[in-house]
Amino acid sequence: MRARLAAPPGPVELAAIDPRGTPGVPPDIPKEQVKDWSRAEVTRVGADLARLQETLYAAEKGGQGSGRRLLLVLQAMDCGGKDGTIKHVAGAMNPLGLRVVAFGPPTAEEREHDFLWRIRRGVPEPGIVGVFNRSHYEDVLIARVESLVPPPVWEARYDEINAFERELADDGVALVKVFLHISYAEQHQRLLDRLDDPTKRWKYNPADIDARARWGDYHEAYEAALGRCSTEHAPWFVVPADRKWYRNWAVAHLVRETLDGMRLAYPEPD
């Protein structure tokens, strides 16, 4: 799945990636059964995630780790499914070894520092799986589209982000950066769902409509971030996210493959 969903090298064109696509799903599964199949698969992969996370945590607590941890970075347009992904994928793991950090508008204290200050504070400790709900990329997305800082400022941030992620990788952080790719029509439906469903109405924010009016500008900003900040040590993955069942299945596989690649082992007793 890492190979299938990796952002293409060079310039990224989101219009060329189908938000309703299902790369990697076996073609022989009947359409009327695919949702049930995916739920069972996410449960099965979730058991692997729990085991691998425990191994990562145990190695560090047992003093035989090497500072390793995993950081899942989730970015999306409004209603893109970040919360749902965290619930279904990270929810399979033990909270003891999990840290979820959500980044909203910076506080007064955070604005007194450079844009990476609050991000550094959220990086997981060794042995922990961390999840960022939004991230440092907001500072080349909303900051760019809404002109919160002058162009020379956000332009310089791409190189700063790449240097920061190189630093993380060198310090034992396995980065999994995921852009949940939804369509304009799907976002419209999800915004309506938030208004129609009393249990989701609290999520509705009128500012989402303003951001929706600048859909093209945000896509252009995302394409720049994906193209300029996808590296060998910190690649971007584009997950078609119109189908929630596929989104959960794909992200679960991306995290499992990354943990598998870390070749984790329980510590030997002294």
Side-chain angles (χ1 to χ4, degrees):
M1 293 303 293
R2 287 176 61 91
R4 289 179 183 272
L5 298 174
V12 175
E13 293 185 22
L14 290 175
I17 302 173
D18 183 5
R20 295 188 62 79
T22 57
V25 173
D28 57 343
I29 299 173
K31 290 183 178 180
E32 64 274 12
Q33 298 177 18
V34 71
K35 286 187 178 181
D36 290 338
W37 170 85
S38 70
R39 292 189 189 101
E41 278 290 292
V42 169
T43 299
R44 181 181 65 82
V45 175
D48 289 340
L49 292 177
R51 173 182 56 81
L52 288 164
Q53 180 214 24
E54 181 183 81
T55 310
L56 174 66
Y57 185 80
E60 290 299 329
K61 289 298 181 181
Q64 296 179 26
S66 56
R68 291 185 297 174
R69 42 262 166 87
L70 182 142
L71 176 59
L72 172 63
V73 175
L74 294 174
Q75 288 285 161
M77 299 287 286
D78 294 323
C79 300
K82 298 183 296 298
D83 292 345
T85 302
I86 292 170
K87 176 181 178 181
H88 289 94
V89 178
M93 303 182 202
N94 187 333
L96 187 63
L98 183 69
R99 185 184 184 193
V100 180
V101 182
F103 293 99
T107 64
E109 180 187 17
E110 290 167 347
R111 287 195 298 270
E112 293 176 356
H113 301 270
D114 73 275
F115 78 103
L116 289 172
W117 181 78
R118 64 175 183 162
I119 307 300
R120 292 181 183 279
R121 300 178 75 192
V123 174
E125 296 294 320
I128 302 296
V129 172
V131 182
F132 280 0
N133 184 335
R134 300 187 187 273
S135 68
H136 41 298
Y137 283 95
E138 292 298 300
D139 290 281
V140 291
L141 293 168
I142 187 171
R144 167 177 170 160
V145 175
E146 304 297 338
S147 300
L148 301 182
V149 295
V153 175
W154 56 256
E155 270 286 350
R157 287 175 177 171
Y158 296 108
D159 288 339
E160 294 179 64
I161 287 171
N162 286 335
F164 169 61
E165 292 177 351
R166 174 77 266 180
E167 176 188 326
L168 291 181
D170 289 344
D171 200 37
V173 179
L175 282 151
V176 183
K177 302 186 303 188
V178 175
F179 173 60
L180 302 174
H181 182 35
I182 64 168
S183 65
Y184 190 71
E186 180 66 18
Q187 187 195 57
H188 176 257
Q189 185 57 53
R190 292 183 188 183
L191 284 169
L192 290 179
D193 290 343
R194 288 185 176 182
L195 289 173
D196 293 339
D197 186 345
T199 66
K200 295 182 179 180
R201 204 167 291 158
W202 63 274
K203 288 187 173 184
Y204 179 76
N205 184 342
D208 293 344
I209 304 301
D210 297 330
R212 178 172 167 80
R214 305 198 66 177
W215 180 273
D217 294 332
Y218 273 102
H219 260 213
E220 184 178 335
Y222 265 111
E223 288 173 344
L226 294 170
R228 297 176 66 173
C229 297
S230 190
T231 59
E232 184 178 352
H233 56 273
W236 268 109
F237 301 97
V238 180
V239 173
D242 272 13
R243 304 177 194 268
K244 296 178 182 179
W245 62 263
Y246 176 79
R247 174 201 72 200
N248 297 335
W249 178 83
V251 175
H253 274 278
L254 287 173
V255 175
R256 184 184 67 173
E257 287 179 11
T258 304
L259 286 168
D260 269 337
M262 295 169 72
R263 301 186 180 278
L264 302 167
Y266 283 101
E268 294 293 332
D270 59 23

